[in-house]
Amino acid sequence: MKKVSDCTVNQIIWLNENNFLLELIAPDSLPDIRPGNFAELRIDDSRDVFLRRPFTILETDKTNNTIRFFIKIIGAGTRKLGTLSEGDQVNMIFPLGNSFSIPVKGPVLIVGGGSGIAPFILLAKELQNQGIPITFLFGGRTHQEILLIDQYKAFGEVFITTEDGSAGEKGVVTQHSVFNKIANYNMIYACGPEPMMKAIGNIAHHHNKSCEVSLENMMACGFGACLCCIVETKSGNQRVCTEGPVFNINDLTWQI
Amino acid sequence: MKKVSDCTVNQIIWLNENNFLLELIAPDSLPDIRPGNFAELRIDDSRDVFLRRPFTILETDKTNNTIRFFIKIIGAGTRKLGTLSEGDQVNMIFPLGNSFSIPVKGPVLIVGGGSGIAPFILLAKELQNQGIPITFLFGGRTHQEILLIDQYKAFGEVFITTEDGSAGEKGVVTQHSVFNKIANYNMIYACGPEPMMKAIGNIAHHHNKSCEVSLENMMACGFGACLCCIVETKSGNQRVCTEGPVFNINDLTWQI
Amino acid sequence: MADLSVKIGDLQLKNPVMTASGTFGFGEEFADFIDLNRLAGIVVKGLTPKLREGNPYPRMAETASGMLNTVGLQNRGVDYFINHIYPRIKDLDTHIIVNVNGSTVEEYIEVTKKINKLANVPAMELNISCPNVKEGGMAFGVSCPSAMAVTKAVREVYDRTLIVKLSPNVTAIDDIAIAVEEAGADAVSLVNTFLGMAIDAEKQKPILSTITGGLSGPAIKPIALRMVWQVSQAVEIPVIGMGGIMDATDAIEFILAGASAIQVGTANFIDPQVSVKIIEGIDEYLEQHDIDSIAELVGALNID
Amino acid sequence: MADLSVKIGDLQLKNPVMTASGTFGFGEEFADFIDLNRLAGIVVKGLTPKLREGNPYPRMAETASGMLNTVGLQNRGVDYFINHIYPRIKDLDTHIIVNVNGSTVEEYIEVTKKINKLANVPAMELNISCPNVKEGGMAFGVSCPSAMAVTKAVREVYDRTLIVKLSPNVTAIDDIAIAVEEAGADAVSLVNTFLGMAIDAEKQKPILSTITGGLSGPAIKPIALRMVWQVSQAVEIPVIGMGGIMDATDAIEFILAGASAIQVGTANFIDPQVSVKIIEGIDEYLEQHDIDSIAELVGALNID
Ligand SMILES: Cc1cc2nc3c(=O)[nH]c(=O)nc-3n(C[C@H](O)[C@H](O)[C@H](O)COP(=O)(O)OP(=O)(O)OC[C@H]3O[C@@H](n4cnc5c(N)ncnc54)[C@H](O)[C@@H]3O)c2cc1C
Ligand SMILES: Cc1cc2nc3c(=O)[nH]c(=O)nc-3n(C[C@H](O)[C@H](O)[C@H](O)COP(=O)(O)OP(=O)(O)OC[C@H]3O[C@@H](n4cnc5c(N)ncnc54)[C@H](O)[C@@H]3O)c2cc1C
Ligand SMILES: Cc1cc2nc3c(=O)[nH]c(=O)nc-3n(C[C@H](O)[C@H](O)[C@H](O)COP(=O)(O)O)c2cc1C
Ligand SMILES: Cc1cc2nc3c(=O)[nH]c(=O)nc-3n(C[C@H](O)[C@H](O)[C@H](O)COP(=O)(O)O)c2cc1C
Ligand code: FES
Ligand code: FES
């Protein structure tokens, strides 16, 4: 069941000057939150932000009802979120969207590009619980864009690519040598810029691997009411906020 | 010369839960500021505040370029100003408007109603410099609305009226016994709610006393460009922000 | 508790607050957030004779105190509604009102006839600002003769409360209102969205896939309020007001301007509980102002 | 530094940024804040044949991302302008453009003839959305025949660059633009304000003395931008765009949509230095995007 809650900021942890973790405390016990779910945060009293902003739920802690988000500053709304301080109120609608499916057996490959790293901590926890081995591959332009690696290392092997070669293999994610062993993996998950997801989708498709991607999109409501956030699927236009954000590439009409 | 300056909040001093003093530091030396002048403050990043807000300049300190305002919270803009903290930036256009005239000789009576007390500290300083004796009369609904009295006591005798009798004489300002000795005064200044100013104007008119009032008004610009802030005068509509905010009652078309 | 009930044609509303078409899905999307039975009515997403995929993505752009949308009437068609959605929502204790669309008069009639048979749909809202219609791309809602023609045709096949939803993109919305009143409308609702546009200066491209889209939200409130005022002076039938209503104060303003009821649109996206908060806020306002019935407030603006 | 110059009729502008009538006084109000000579032009407050006191107070209401005004063309009349104001501003190194108003065609002609003689007023802006005119209270700017008639009449007595300022309160602003183009306008400027209204729910009264007023500011930008786009597709003459421009990015959007130049209005109230900042911002944009001349950007919106 979806909720609208007035949450309290517990802390903001800056990862670098453009990225931070926002930790909120919900006023009552957390509902069931699945890997891939997101929340819509209301950014109050900001002249340039009219609608809510969607963010993937990075982590939850049921013992103290906290929820964490990984946030990258890209405009007025995310900038304003970064100015919050402990004790400030943030109104949140959550949990929203569908979630990743968990395969019967592994191993799985998780690929994150740029700031497309948020959905995978909850997913990794779930996969770990099911005893499924995970390989991570994260790509960015430079090593400064490679974040949360230490957290991910707790769940499996982590490969890195950077376009400038400042960390891991030089290049883009799809060029990474892990794809030489693609046959090993039973399933691929991807999140990041659309061209990257399409490229991963392409590889998965040609190797006949099941592949789920988490899409971003301009959302007005986030809970299925406005029909603004559609993506073309083989069964017609679907709402990314409700039928997604996670889609199996076989259901999309991507030319891959 | 008018300026647009990015000022820094030096401090906020709360007088009670609805009224505070805002002290700003200007980035460079203060221009000449006259009693009655006001400033237009920009209230940034607030969804409900589109235009600037006008506030009378309460006090200035040329040695450290500070300017103080007395602010009463009445809506979104003033509320937001009250949430500023030391070091925050506030953009200010100043000094704006005309100023009170200084009579050749006193004594003078200064009448302030409700929050109409801001223009009189600069005026009192100037009058004191000219050796002109001042009597103050401040009215409010209760003693909680009688503010800044200690500061005013430094410049002359201070009378008080409250509607509930919780301080000074019970009643409204125009009923105060000081008006029995109205013949003693050479000039009257008034600021406060319009009906109060009209009542004072009436008394002044019937006793043939010169009387200046400082008008409030809905302003879009504050510096003469929009023609939104007019008041009817005997020589046609005039801009309160430019030909005012101080008017001699003889120039207004008030039915007194 | 004051009397909040109002009447629109034969339609008895328990309070003046409905939700606007296209901003509230079929109500179900809000069931987790509010008790839908508190609402006077739910105007469901616009229906057409057949399934429509709507316009391509991107469909949304945020603007100063507002948003542009170009959903393009995506819906599964009236039959799907009747067979799959209506059964799920028909027993709610609120009025289900269907927003009817078509690209030709015939299409409007087709949907209307089907809706006319649904026991628990006591009213329809005829949407005459759909951009893809016969008359040379000119919408039905922007000329008096075409607005009149479609209203008349629909009136003939519809037995219940007929609300006609007006487009604000016109020189004289009062003339259009008079035309649809003459054609038999029981009420008018206004405003639909304003045609607007957003550009990405960096990419030098329009933000919306269709270049232009419909503007809604508080940005349009002053114009919507003026139009409600203007129309309520011009017609005898009840006026349903909307356009940028975010809280009870906004709703009261529309009612004072002449609206017998209001619809909440874009605000539902920002606060899915806002419609119920508005009902509560109106009730408080009436109590604070010692007004027994909301009906006393309709058009009560004091202009001296 | 890129080439910022543009041409409007015979009018050579050093950059595309002018200030909008009624929001910049006669320029002098801004002399303390900016170097007026940086501006391409100043459109002065609307003039009428005789002194007008304008509308009663209150004349202003703040709205979401905008404001309503009902100044009502307060001005001292064209003769006062010519004798007292013009001499003070005529030697500025910027174009002084007079915004001409009247309640009848004769009045427009009267003002125009007087302005036509001023050596340093190279252009006029014919304001055809004044609310008090002959045709039964209907403004000149909301019907093609009347817009055409007044433009033609003024064209006959005016030798220089004639800009006609269009009202957005119409069904088809492109049709009006075509009509004034045919009548001899050298350029059109748009938009003027949208008719709107604000209500004080507590007092149950309109906020403005005249009940309705004109809406300006960022709230209207999406609609203004759409109209500039629409008009620039419809006419050959240059389009001057305005409506909610707050910064250089907004200005670029209007230029991409088809405006050869822009005017800054309400933004001047919030930041009296904004017009110069916009000029600087446009220059930066051109540099960052490696564009040699602003002319390349006019109407360059990429719609695939
Ligand atoms: C389901 C979902 C989950 C998300 N999860 C995260 C997350 O965990 N962490 C995170 O940092 N971000 C996440 N995002 C993206 C995030 O919502 C946007 O970065 C945020 O809304 C930007 O707000 P802003 O006001 O800062 O920027 P704005 O000023 O609104 O936008 C700046 C620029 O970015 C573009 N833009 C904004 N939002 C989007 C979008 N959603 N898709 C494409 N372009 C956009 C705008 O058009 C504009 O050009 C997610 C988005 C979705 C839809
Ligand atoms: C020349 C001048 C000097 C002023 N000096 C001071 C001062 O020293 N200290 C101080 O506290 N206030 C002063 N004011 C008033 C102050 O500008 C307003 O209180 C402020 O703008 C309110 O902003 P807000 O956003 O808090 O309220 P809003 O939300 O804008 O307004 C709340 C309510 O008050 C009404 N209102 C707002 N401003 C005015 C106004 N100026 N006249 C009449 N009604 C208004 C609104 O219509 C609304 O109903 C002065 C005003 C002027 C014109
Ligand atoms: C995303 C979206 C979709 C809409 N779809 C419809 C629709 O299908 N039929 C209709 O008559 N109006 C539709 N509208 C218009 C609204 O019902 C309403 O008239 C308009 O948004 C103004 O009200 P608001 O400012 O409160 O949103 C839609 C509006 C939005 C924002
Ligand atoms: C206070 C005020 C006064 C105005 N007076 C005039 C006028 O005299 N003549 C005119 O053509 N337009 C007038 N306008 C309209 C503006 O020139 C401009 O067209 C409109 O405000 C839209 O631009 P903006 O949103 O940038 O303000 C006035 C606008 C405002 C806000
Ligand atoms: S964002 Fe509204 S339906 Fe998805
Ligand atoms: S507030 Fe603009 S002229 Fe006075």
Side-chain angles (χ1 to χ4, degrees):
Chain A
M1 173 148 160
K2 297 172 210 125
K3 283 187 172 194
V4 190
S5 299
D6 280 319
C7 301
T8 310
V9 175
N10 198 36
Q11 56 174 334
I12 288 200
I13 303 165
W14 287 90
L15 304 177
N16 60 34
E17 61 176 7
N18 284 316
N19 297 274
F20 61 91
L21 304 179
L22 171 66
E23 187 173 286
L24 302 180
I25 313 180
D28 33 37
S29 60
L30 298 182
D32 187 33
I33 292 172
R34 306 281 311 142
N37 283 171
F38 67 99
E40 283 274 358
L41 301 187
R42 185 159 172 177
I43 296 165
D44 262 330
D45 198 40
S46 191
R47 180 177 269 151
D48 305 323
V49 186
F50 176 61
L51 298 162
R52 286 176 187 262
R53 295 291 187 264
F55 298 97
T56 304
I57 297 171
L58 180 73
E59 275 187 289
T60 61
D61 185 340
K62 292 219 165 204
T63 57
N64 48 14
N65 300 330
T66 55
I67 295 201
R68 273 197 187 186
F69 300 93
F70 163 77
I71 294 173
K72 178 178 176 180
I73 295 183
I74 70 150
T78 44
R79 197 174 313 117
K80 176 87 183 210
L81 284 176
T83 66
L84 292 173
S85 26
E86 199 189 319
D88 286 346
Q89 296 285 106
V90 177
N91 186 277
M92 171 165 83
I93 307 181
F94 76 116
L96 299 170
N98 71 348
S99 56
F100 294 104
S101 50
I102 307 297
V104 232
K105 64 183 194 64
V108 302
L109 176 64
I110 290 179
V111 187
S115 49
I117 55 174
F120 298 133
I121 290 194
L122 287 184
L123 177 61
K125 280 193 181 155
E126 177 97 9
L127 290 166
Q128 196 178 48
N129 284 344
Q130 308 290 321
I132 293 173
I134 317 171
T135 303
F136 297 97
L137 170 60
F138 294 119
R141 266 172 307 167
T142 75
H143 68 101
Q144 277 147 339
E145 282 187 23
I146 304 295
L147 297 164
L148 301 183
I149 295 306
D150 289 342
Q151 264 187 281
Y152 280 111
K153 280 191 176 146
F155 298 102
E157 193 172 6
V158 176
F159 295 116
I160 289 168
T161 64
T162 52
E163 290 175 36
D164 68 352
S166 57
E169 291 186 17
K170 184 169 168 155
V172 296
V173 283
T174 44
Q175 297 170 324
H176 193 273
S177 54
V178 73
F179 288 106
N180 299 335
K181 294 175 241 161
I182 182 77
N184 294 354
Y185 297 100
N186 208 27
M187 177 145 192
I188 304 176
Y189 302 94
C191 183
E194 199 171 287
M196 172 278 220
M197 290 193 284
K198 283 187 173 161
I200 301 292
N202 207 334
I203 296 174
H205 181 70
H206 287 102
H207 290 85
N208 233 325
K209 301 289 174 188
S210 181
C211 177
E212 289 184 347
V213 292
S214 177
L215 301 182
E216 278 203 17
N217 196 299
M218 300 297 289
M219 297 185 173
C221 70
F223 47 85
C226 73
L227 305 186
C228 286
C229 66
I230 50 106
V231 64
E232 213 181 287
T233 73
K234 289 179 181 151
S235 44
N237 282 336
Q238 295 207 324
R239 297 167 295 186
V240 171
C241 71
T242 304
E243 284 80 29
V246 177
F247 290 90
N248 191 299
I249 54 157
N250 289 330
D251 296 333
L252 299 173
T253 58
W254 287 356
Q255 303 298 328
I256 49 179
Chain B
M1 171 147 164
K2 296 172 211 127
K3 284 187 173 197
V4 190
S5 300
D6 281 318
C7 301
T8 310
V9 175
N10 199 32
Q11 55 174 334
I12 288 200
I13 303 165
W14 287 90
L15 304 176
N16 60 34
E17 61 176 8
N18 284 317
N19 297 275
F20 61 90
L21 303 180
L22 171 66
E23 187 173 284
L24 302 181
I25 312 180
D28 32 38
S29 61
L30 298 181
D32 187 34
I33 292 172
R34 307 280 311 141
N37 283 172
F38 67 98
E40 283 274 358
L41 302 187
R42 184 158 172 180
I43 296 164
D44 262 329
D45 198 39
S46 192
R47 180 177 267 150
D48 306 324
V49 185
F50 175 61
L51 298 162
R52 286 176 186 261
R53 296 290 188 263
F55 299 97
T56 303
I57 297 172
L58 179 73
E59 274 188 288
T60 61
D61 185 339
K62 292 219 164 203
T63 57
N64 48 14
N65 299 331
T66 55
I67 296 203
R68 275 197 185 185
F69 299 94
F70 163 78
I71 293 174
K72 179 179 175 178
I73 295 183
I74 70 150
T78 45
R79 196 175 313 118
K80 176 90 184 208
L81 285 176
T83 65
L84 292 174
S85 27
E86 199 188 320
D88 286 346
Q89 296 286 103
V90 177
N91 185 278
M92 171 165 84
I93 307 181
F94 77 117
L96 299 170
N98 71 348
S99 56
F100 293 105
S101 50
I102 307 297
V104 232
K105 64 186 194 61
V108 303
L109 177 63
I110 290 179
V111 187
S115 48
I117 55 174
F120 297 133
I121 290 192
L122 287 184
L123 176 61
K125 280 194 183 155
E126 176 96 11
L127 290 165
Q128 196 178 50
N129 285 345
Q130 308 289 325
I132 293 172
I134 316 170
T135 303
F136 296 97
L137 171 60
F138 294 118
R141 266 172 307 168
T142 75
H143 68 101
Q144 278 146 339
E145 283 188 22
I146 305 295
L147 298 164
L148 301 183
I149 294 307
D150 288 342
Q151 264 188 281
Y152 279 112
K153 279 190 178 147
F155 299 101
E157 191 171 11
V158 176
F159 295 116
I160 289 168
T161 64
T162 52
E163 289 175 36
D164 68 354
S166 57
E169 290 185 17
K170 183 170 169 152
V172 296
V173 283
T174 44
Q175 297 169 325
H176 193 274
S177 53
V178 74
F179 288 105
N180 300 333
K181 293 177 242 160
I182 183 77
N184 293 354
Y185 297 100
N186 208 27
M187 177 145 192
I188 303 176
Y189 302 94
C191 182
E194 197 170 289
M196 172 278 221
M197 289 193 284
K198 283 187 173 165
I200 302 291
N202 207 334
I203 296 174
H205 181 71
H206 287 102
H207 290 85
N208 234 324
K209 301 288 175 191
S210 182
C211 177
E212 289 184 347
V213 293
S214 177
L215 302 181
E216 278 202 16
N217 196 301
M218 300 299 287
M219 296 184 173
C221 70
F223 47 86
C226 74
L227 305 186
C228 286
C229 65
I230 49 106
V231 63
E232 211 180 289
T233 73
K234 287 177 184 154
S235 45
N237 282 335
Q238 296 206 323
R239 297 167 297 185
V240 171
C241 70
T242 305
E243 284 80 29
V246 177
F247 290 90
N248 190 299
I249 55 157
N250 288 331
D251 296 332
L252 299 173
T253 58
W254 286 356
Q255 302 299 329
I256 48 178
Chain C
M1 170 121 186
D3 178 8
L4 291 184
S5 68
V6 293
K7 253 189 117 177
I8 304 287
D10 290 334
L11 196 66
Q12 185 71 44
L13 301 179
K14 58 183 146 194
N15 63 57
V17 180
M18 296 181 273
T19 52
S21 179
T23 67
F24 208 70
F26 295 93
E28 301 171 302
E29 292 79 358
F30 290 78
D32 277 359
F33 304 122
I34 56 170
D35 176 3
L36 296 169
N37 298 325
R38 302 271 312 264
L39 301 173
I42 296 172
V43 186
V44 300
K45 176 68 196 164
L47 298 182
T48 50
K50 299 263 158 333
L51 179 147
R52 275 178 65 98
E53 286 292 350
N55 292 325
Y57 181 82
R59 291 182 172 182
M60 194 273 281
E62 205 181 44
T63 67
S65 298
M67 63 174 278
L68 290 161
N69 88 79
T70 177
V71 170
L73 289 175
Q74 174 177 340
N75 78 100
R76 296 182 182 234
V78 62
D79 294 329
Y80 184 92
F81 170 77
I82 292 174
N83 297 324
H84 297 95
I85 303 172
Y86 175 66
R88 294 199 306 253
I89 59 175
K90 75 182 180 46
D91 294 325
L92 285 172
D93 182 20
T94 186
H95 292 309
I96 302 297
I97 298 173
V98 171
N99 183 267
V100 173
N101 295 269
S103 359
T104 61
V105 172
E106 295 70 41
E107 283 194 11
Y108 278 109
I109 291 177
E110 184 183 342
V111 180
T112 303
K113 279 185 172 162
K114 288 179 172 168
I115 291 303
N116 197 32
K117 295 191 192 122
L118 300 178
N120 291 1
V121 172
M124 66 171 269
E125 186 175 62
L126 178 65
N127 183 5
I128 56 168
S129 44
C130 162
N132 309 303
V133 288
K134 255 187 183 171
E135 266 197 41
M138 191 67 161
F140 282 103
V142 297
S143 98
C144 288
S146 60
M148 203 160 193
V150 64
T151 306
K152 228 178 213 145
V154 166
R155 174 76 289 175
E156 273 165 24
V157 298
Y158 194 65
D159 306 323
R160 311 197 191 149
T161 301
L162 171 59
I163 304 163
V164 179
K165 185 161 179 183
L166 307 181
S167 165
N169 300 294
V170 295
T171 308
I173 195 167
D174 43 354
D175 289 348
I176 312 272
I178 292 169
V180 305
E181 178 179 42
E182 277 174 23
D186 296 311
V188 285
S189 61
L190 61 148
V191 297
N192 210 316
T193 53
F194 288 77
L195 202 60
M197 178 171 176
I199 290 175
D200 184 324
E202 278 309 307
K203 300 197 185 123
Q204 307 188 341
K205 283 186 180 176
I207 294 180
L208 301 177
S209 65
T210 51
I211 306 180
T212 60
L215 182 66
S216 63
I220 66 168
K221 195 189 84 173
I223 320 180
L225 201 56
R226 180 266 295 179
M227 290 180 165
V228 165
W229 163 252
Q230 196 180 353
V231 167
S232 71
Q233 315 283 301
V235 297
E236 299 292 321
I237 51 178
V239 173
I240 301 168
M242 79 194 89
I245 295 177
M246 300 297 283
D247 57 28
T249 307
D250 293 336
I252 299 283
E253 291 171 24
F254 275 85
I255 292 167
L256 287 167
S260 298
I262 59 101
Q263 291 181 16
V264 183
T266 305
N268 292 306
F269 304 155
I270 293 166
D271 178 1
Q273 300 173 324
V274 70
S275 50
V276 167
K277 288 180 190 163
I278 290 174
I279 298 170
E280 287 164 357
I282 292 176
D283 191 41
E284 267 170 44
Y285 179 97
L286 294 182
E287 229 152 82
Q288 275 164 20
H289 291 76
D290 243 335
I291 303 171
D292 292 334
S293 153
I294 185 78
E296 295 172 36
L297 222 54
V298 176
L301 190 71
N302 178 356
I303 54 163
D304 297 337
Chain D
M1 171 125 181
D3 177 9
L4 291 183
S5 69
V6 293
K7 252 189 117 179
I8 303 288
D10 291 332
L11 197 65
Q12 185 71 44
L13 301 179
K14 58 183 147 196
N15 63 57
V17 180
M18 296 180 274
T19 52
S21 179
T23 67
F24 208 71
F26 294 93
E28 301 171 301
E29 293 79 358
F30 290 78
D32 278 359
F33 304 122
I34 55 169
D35 176 2
L36 297 169
N37 298 326
R38 303 270 313 263
L39 301 173
I42 296 173
V43 187
V44 301
K45 175 69 195 164
L47 298 182
T48 51
K50 300 262 157 338
L51 179 148
R52 275 178 64 99
E53 285 293 349
N55 293 325
Y57 182 83
R59 289 182 172 181
M60 194 273 283
E62 204 182 43
T63 67
S65 299
M67 63 173 278
L68 289 161
N69 88 80
T70 177
V71 170
L73 289 175
Q74 175 177 337
N75 79 100
R76 295 182 182 235
V78 63
D79 295 327
Y80 184 91
F81 170 77
I82 293 174
N83 297 323
H84 296 95
I85 303 171
Y86 174 66
R88 294 199 306 255
I89 60 176
K90 74 180 178 45
D91 294 325
L92 286 172
D93 181 21
T94 185
H95 292 309
I96 302 296
I97 298 172
V98 171
N99 182 266
V100 173
N101 296 269
S103 358
T104 60
V105 173
E106 295 72 40
E107 284 195 10
Y108 278 109
I109 291 178
E110 185 182 342
V111 180
T112 303
K113 280 185 173 164
K114 289 179 173 169
I115 290 304
N116 197 32
K117 295 191 193 122
L118 301 179
N120 292 359
V121 173
M124 66 171 270
E125 186 177 61
L126 178 65
N127 183 7
I128 56 169
S129 46
C130 161
N132 309 303
V133 288
K134 254 186 181 172
E135 266 198 40
M138 192 68 160
F140 283 104
V142 297
S143 98
C144 289
S146 60
M148 204 160 192
V150 63
T151 306
K152 232 180 211 143
V154 165
R155 175 75 289 174
E156 273 165 25
V157 298
Y158 194 65
D159 305 323
R160 311 195 191 150
T161 301
L162 171 59
I163 304 163
V164 180
K165 184 161 177 182
L166 306 180
S167 165
N169 300 294
V170 296
T171 308
I173 195 166
D174 43 355
D175 289 347
I176 311 272
I178 291 169
V180 305
E181 179 180 42
E182 278 175 23
D186 296 310
V188 286
S189 62
L190 61 148
V191 298
N192 209 316
T193 54
F194 287 78
L195 201 60
M197 179 172 177
I199 290 176
D200 183 325
E202 278 309 307
K203 300 195 184 125
Q204 307 187 341
K205 283 186 180 175
I207 295 180
L208 301 177
S209 66
T210 51
I211 306 179
T212 60
L215 183 66
S216 63
I220 66 169
K221 196 190 83 172
I223 319 180
L225 201 56
R226 180 266 295 181
M227 290 181 165
V228 164
W229 163 252
Q230 195 180 354
V231 167
S232 70
Q233 314 285 300
V235 297
E236 299 291 322
I237 52 177
V239 174
I240 301 169
M242 79 194 91
I245 294 177
M246 300 298 281
D247 57 26
T249 307
D250 292 337
I252 298 283
E253 290 170 25
F254 276 86
I255 293 167
L256 287 167
S260 298
I262 60 102
Q263 291 181 17
V264 183
T266 304
N268 292 305
F269 303 155
I270 293 165
D271 179 1
Q273 300 173 324
V274 71
S275 49
V276 167
K277 288 180 190 165
I278 290 174
I279 298 170
E280 287 164 358
I282 292 176
D283 191 40
E284 268 169 44
Y285 179 96
L286 294 182
E287 229 151 85
Q288 275 164 21
H289 293 75
D290 244 335
I291 302 171
D292 292 334
S293 153
I294 185 78
E296 295 172 35
L297 222 55
V298 176
L301 191 72
N302 177 357
I303 55 163
D304 297 338

